[in-house]
């Protein structure tokens, strides 16, 4: 049977490029694309089929920041498929991003500018808010919605003849300093995106410990700095146009400046071809592009504490129990 691949956040950026590249790798897969509304899903499907007319492409509608939507799509997927071979947990948001230009100036004076430009450490802030479920929106969309989806799809992911894979889109901006167990939704800070990505890294580490013996393996990737709808909201478009020649030059020194969604999907596609048993659960796989435009993957050890990861996982289970009580009618 063909392998079934689910991709969230597939309507643009790295998600769309990933779908196209996966079909180039294996045109026999059944690709299921998950977008926030039917209109986007169908438009994305048409775009993919225009390049791959023989491909098997289906769609589902899901808003990862809405638990009812997540539960409904999980129920739909359980009815449609007998198993899932790959789930790319790629959807994410960065609302109201702001650049701290004073921090950039200090970085220039202290020699830390290149590090700040490649990790956004101390540079990017976001303004978060509560969603309809009473959760912090960034945490809910980037991490918790995906966590609930995985939990609801365990019957399709575990105990199959061949291993199933979870591949999370993380970031080089995932930093321990932005994350706190006592405020894991990041309600009190201004780096919700960084916190949610560090939480993603922690979650993946524990999922491997819990589920490898059931044939489910989890990995995290960093697409690098990709020009997409998310990054274009950070600065006005005319500024990006002025900066692009400089960014191409920076890539000679900063290999994570992948810049295009196609390049940013390199690590995602590389993992598609690997045997999960050979991968290190404590490694993040980074998409990189050389100054001359060659794509490659660089594995880097994650800065995660396994005890913290386990404590955080328990908090996720407690939050799951607490929040799902109101949605008993959507549970089997």
């Amino acid at each position: 049977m063909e392998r079934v691949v689910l991709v969230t956040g597939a309507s643009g950026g790295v998600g769309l490029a990933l779908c196209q590249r996966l079909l180039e790798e294996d045109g026999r897969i059944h690709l299921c694309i998950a977008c926030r509304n039917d209109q986007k899903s169908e438009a994305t499907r048409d775009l993919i089929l225009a390049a791959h007319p023989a491909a098997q492409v289906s769609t589902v509608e899901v808003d990862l920041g809405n638990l009812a939507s997540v539960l409904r799509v999980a129920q739909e997927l359980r009815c449609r498929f007998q198993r899932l071979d790959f789930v790319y947990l790629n959807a994410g948001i960065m609302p109201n991003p702001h650049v701290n230009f004073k921090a950039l100036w200090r970085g220039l004076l202290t020699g830390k500018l290149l590090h700040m430009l490649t990790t956004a450490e101390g540079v990017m802030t976001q303004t978060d808010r509560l969603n309809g479920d009473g959760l912090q929106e960034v945490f809910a969309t980037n991490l918790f919605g995906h966590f609930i989806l995985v939990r609801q799809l365990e019957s399709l992911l575990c105990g199959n003849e061949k291993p199933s894979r979870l591949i999370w889109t993380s970031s080089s901006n995932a930093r321990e300093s932005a994350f706190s167990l006592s405020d894991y939704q990041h309600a009190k800070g201004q780096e919700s995106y960084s916190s949610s990505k560090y939480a993603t890294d922690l979650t993946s580490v524990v999922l491997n410990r819990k589920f490898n013996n059931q044939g489910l393996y989890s990995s995290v990737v960093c697409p690098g700095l990709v020009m997409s709808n998310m990054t274009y909201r950070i600065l006005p478009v005319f500024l990006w146009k002025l900066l692009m020649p400089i960014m191409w030059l920076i890539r000679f020194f900063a290999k994570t400046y992948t810049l295009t969604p196609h390049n940013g999907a390199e690590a995602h596609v590389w993992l598609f071809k690997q045997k999960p048993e050979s991968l290190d659960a404590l490694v993040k796989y980074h998409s990189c592009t050389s100054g001359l435009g060659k794509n490659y993957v660089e594995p880097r050890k994650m800065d995660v504490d396994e005890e913290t990861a386990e404590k955080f996982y328990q908090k996720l289970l407690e939050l799951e129990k607490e929040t799902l009580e109101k949605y008993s009618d959507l549970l089997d």
Side-chain angles (χ1 to χ4, degrees), residues 139 143-144 147 203 312-320:
F139 165 81
L143 184 278
F144 193 60
F147 175 76
T203 303
F312 175 58
Y313 188 80
Q314 293 306 314
K315 287 183 178 291
L316 287 179
L317 294 179
E318 292 167 9
L319 183 63
E320 175 190 38

Side-chain angles (χ1 to χ4, degrees), residues 99 101 104 117 225 227 231 234-250 257 259:
V99 178
F101 289 101
L104 283 174
L117 288 174
L225 177 63
M227 303 312 298
T231 47
I234 298 172
L235 294 172
V237 174
F238 78 92
L239 271 181
W240 281 123
K241 289 181 178 179
L242 292 175
L243 289 172
M244 280 308 293
I246 299 172
M247 294 176 71
W248 285 96
L249 288 174
I250 290 175
Y257 270 47
L259 299 184

Side-chain angles (χ1 to χ4, degrees), residues 98-257:
H98 301 285
V99 178
N100 187 334
F101 289 101
K102 288 184 179 179
L104 283 174
W105 177 249
R106 287 195 299 270
L108 178 62
L109 296 177
T110 58
K112 297 180 180 179
L113 182 61
L114 186 59
H115 172 76
M116 295 172 73
L117 288 174
T118 53
T119 65
E121 183 173 343
V123 177
M124 293 298 307
T125 61
Q126 305 91 42
T127 304
D128 204 357
R129 62 183 181 183
L130 292 177
N131 68 5
D133 294 305
L135 304 172
Q136 293 298 136
E137 187 177 38
V138 175
F139 165 81
T141 304
N142 294 3
L143 184 278
F144 193 60
H146 281 127
F147 175 76
I148 294 297
L149 182 63
V150 170
R151 294 275 292 164
Q152 292 292 311
L153 295 177
E154 282 183 20
S155 62
L156 302 185
L157 293 165
C158 297
N160 297 322
E161 184 179 343
K162 293 183 179 179
S164 292
R165 309 282 300 280
L166 303 175
I167 299 174
W168 303 76
T169 299
S170 180
S171 171
S172 58
N173 191 233
R175 299 192 322 280
E176 183 180 12
S177 60
F179 178 83
S180 168
L181 270 178
S182 61
D183 182 28
Y184 60 85
Q185 292 193 44
H186 205 75
K188 299 175 183 177
Q190 289 188 303
E191 294 184 89
S192 53
Y193 182 80
S194 177
S195 176
S196 71
K197 293 303 181 180
Y198 188 77
T200 293
D201 297 351
L202 294 174
T203 303
S204 179
V205 167
V206 181
L207 286 172
N208 279 305
R209 196 155 59 231
K210 303 288 186 186
F211 291 102
N212 280 180
N213 62 356
Q214 298 180 53
L216 176 61
Y217 292 81
S218 182
S219 302
V220 286
V221 301
C222 172
L225 177 63
V226 174
M227 303 312 298
S228 65
N229 289 337
M230 186 180 292
T231 47
Y232 279 129
R233 286 197 295 269
I234 298 172
L235 294 172
V237 174
F238 78 92
L239 271 181
W240 281 123
K241 289 181 178 179
L242 292 175
L243 289 172
M244 280 308 293
I246 299 172
M247 294 176 71
W248 285 96
L249 288 174
I250 290 175
R251 197 162 71 180
F252 281 92
F253 309 96
K255 51 200 170 187
T256 54
Y257 270 47

